[in-house]
Amino acid sequence: MSVSRAPWPATRMRRMRRDDFSRRLMRENTLTVDDLIYPVFVLEGINQTEAVPSMPGVERMSIDLLVKEAEELAALGVPAMALFPVTPSEVKTLDGREAWNPEGLAQRAVRAIKAAVPEMGIITDGALDPFTTHGQDGIIDDNGYVLNDVTVDALVKQALSQAEAGADVIAPSDMMDGRIGEIRNALEAHGHIHTRIMAYSAKYASAYYGPFRDAVGSAGNLGKADKTTYQMDPANSDEALHEIALDLAEGADMVMVKPGMPYLDVVRRVKDEFQVPVYAYQVSGEYAMHMAAFQNGWLDQDKVMMESLLAFKRAGADGILTYFAKAAAIKLKG
């Protein structure tokens, strides 16, 4: 940065920080409710809730209660929800075929929410891990290796079933090569020309996902296995740019970096390089760490929650998937 200002005392940087009005006038980034996407977990049953122990304040909800939640979120101005099904163990299979069942839990939830709150954007997850007996995001061979091309075929079926149920955005989180192009082509061929794709383009093989896997019930299936053969190495950021470029070339409308706060450098690089809609996911582990500190009185909940979300905006994110979305929306409205 070239220095063009006069030296001290002609320039006093603190002058503009002295009063609220001048701090507001020079504020570079602002968090609004329009930046928030609320991830939710849906389970079978009626009037059913289950707490997620590793994510204090987060509950799995049956469809009827999720519809009410959608109504509350719409009233707060939250533009979109990201839907994750808690698949019963009896319908999990090696190939995850429940993922494209037109009467599957996610598909029914989409239809119910869109019928009650049509203005709410619904984002559905594209991956097989909630539906497989082994907890991997794709179909495996005899050695446990996730097969790319056969998994892409399954993901296309899943995406079509979600689009036909009324999902506004398909969000493939699987990290298979070539899946964005195949999903885009299938959506176009079946008349779903307005269905958007939010690609989990730079999804890292992170240790921050543990509570989420508890929430959707895939942790036990995965066991001691990992996802390092398809999710990205946390050491790499150049690779993320290649992944983003490929997904955009294949037809992604939006791209995502996941996890969030530990990877804000990647968010910044992606935004600077491509200048497309970029999203970040403040994942379950990030949420759990914050909540532990809040519950122990070590950090101020409202202030730290809002500061953490503003950091995403400063890094260049156009929106944030966060379990704090509802609480932040209430704070912003108040």
Side-chain angles (χ1 to χ4, degrees):
M1 179 185 293
S2 60
V3 178
S4 58
R5 286 180 177 267
W8 181 90
T11 297
R12 292 180 181 268
M13 295 297 290
R14 290 181 58 193
R15 264 197 295 265
M16 286 295 287
R17 301 176 197 148
R18 183 179 186 277
D19 296 301
D20 178 67
F21 84 89
S22 53
R23 290 193 297 270
R24 288 163 55 199
L25 284 172
M26 72 169 189
R27 187 161 293 149
E28 298 173 30
N29 295 281
T30 304
L31 179 74
T32 76
V33 71
D34 296 335
D35 301 315
L36 303 174
I37 298 169
Y38 195 31
V40 294
F41 302 104
V42 59
L43 50 71
E44 293 285 6
I46 299 174
N47 195 32
Q48 295 293 311
T49 62
E50 291 178 356
V52 181
S54 55
M55 300 177 68
V58 172
E59 291 184 325
R60 310 174 187 96
M61 300 182 189
S62 54
I63 293 174
D64 55 319
L65 298 182
L66 198 59
V67 168
K68 294 179 181 177
E69 186 80 348
E71 292 169 345
E72 293 179 19
L73 292 166
L76 289 167
V78 174
M81 303 165 65
L83 191 63
F84 298 96
V86 182
T87 306
S89 58
E90 59 268 21
V91 297
K92 293 186 179 186
T93 58
L94 281 170
D95 62 1
R97 68 178 70 98
E98 181 67 12
W100 56 90
N101 179 358
E103 292 304 317
L105 181 56
Q107 289 82 351
R108 284 181 280 123
V110 170
R111 290 196 293 268
I113 294 170
K114 294 303 288 187
V117 195
E119 70 273 21
M120 176 62 66
I122 301 298
I123 302 169
T124 50
D125 181 48
L128 301 186
D129 54 321
F131 309 98
T132 57
T133 50
H134 45 74
Q136 295 286 0
D137 291 37
I139 297 169
I140 61 174
D141 64 14
D142 292 340
N143 297 315
Y145 182 77
V146 175
L147 299 167
N148 193 91
D149 297 7
V150 68
T151 295
V152 170
D153 292 341
L155 293 170
V156 168
K157 295 177 187 177
Q158 181 185 30
L160 286 174
S161 76
Q162 292 170 346
E164 287 161 5
D168 299 292
V169 182
I170 310 299
S173 64
D174 56 284
M175 290 297 287
M176 297 298 110
D177 291 335
R179 88 279 204 215
I180 300 301
E182 292 299 308
I183 290 171
R184 172 59 70 206
N185 290 339
L187 291 172
E188 290 286 325
H190 287 79
H192 300 295
I193 63 171
H194 302 301
T195 304
R196 282 134 284 195
I197 296 177
M198 175 187 281
Y200 286 62
S201 299
K203 182 178 181 181
Y204 286 84
S206 172
Y208 283 89
Y209 302 147
F212 175 91
R213 291 170 184 163
D214 291 340
V216 297
S218 65
N221 299 100
L222 187 63
K224 294 183 178 180
D226 61 36
K227 304 188 178 185
T228 53
T229 66
Y230 50 99
Q231 294 178 356
M232 283 183 52
D233 187 334
N236 297 350
S237 65
D238 289 347
E239 184 184 11
L241 301 186
H242 290 287
E243 288 280 9
I244 298 285
L246 287 166
D247 285 354
L248 290 171
E250 291 176 21
D253 301 289
M254 302 167 269
V255 295
M256 189 198 298
V257 175
K258 182 181 180 183
M261 291 183 72
Y263 295 82
L264 292 182
D265 62 312
V266 180
V267 174
R268 181 76 270 164
R269 289 193 69 186
V270 170
K271 190 63 175 181
D272 288 345
E273 179 73 19
F274 298 102
Q275 299 178 2
V276 297
V278 178
Y279 296 80
Y281 200 141
Q282 189 178 46
V283 299
S284 59
E286 299 173 63
Y287 174 84
M289 290 192 303
H290 277 101
M291 288 303 297
F294 299 157
Q295 292 182 339
N296 279 284
W298 297 333
L299 294 173
D300 182 291
Q301 179 162 350
D302 285 350
K303 290 180 180 178
V304 171
M305 173 181 69
M306 301 306 281
E307 181 180 340
S308 74
L309 297 175
L310 185 60
F312 286 90
K313 295 294 293 179
R314 190 184 66 246
D318 295 284
I320 311 139
L321 288 85
T322 174
Y323 302 98
F324 290 123
K326 186 176 182 181
I330 293 169
K331 180 76 174 173
L332 289 165
K333 191 170 186 178

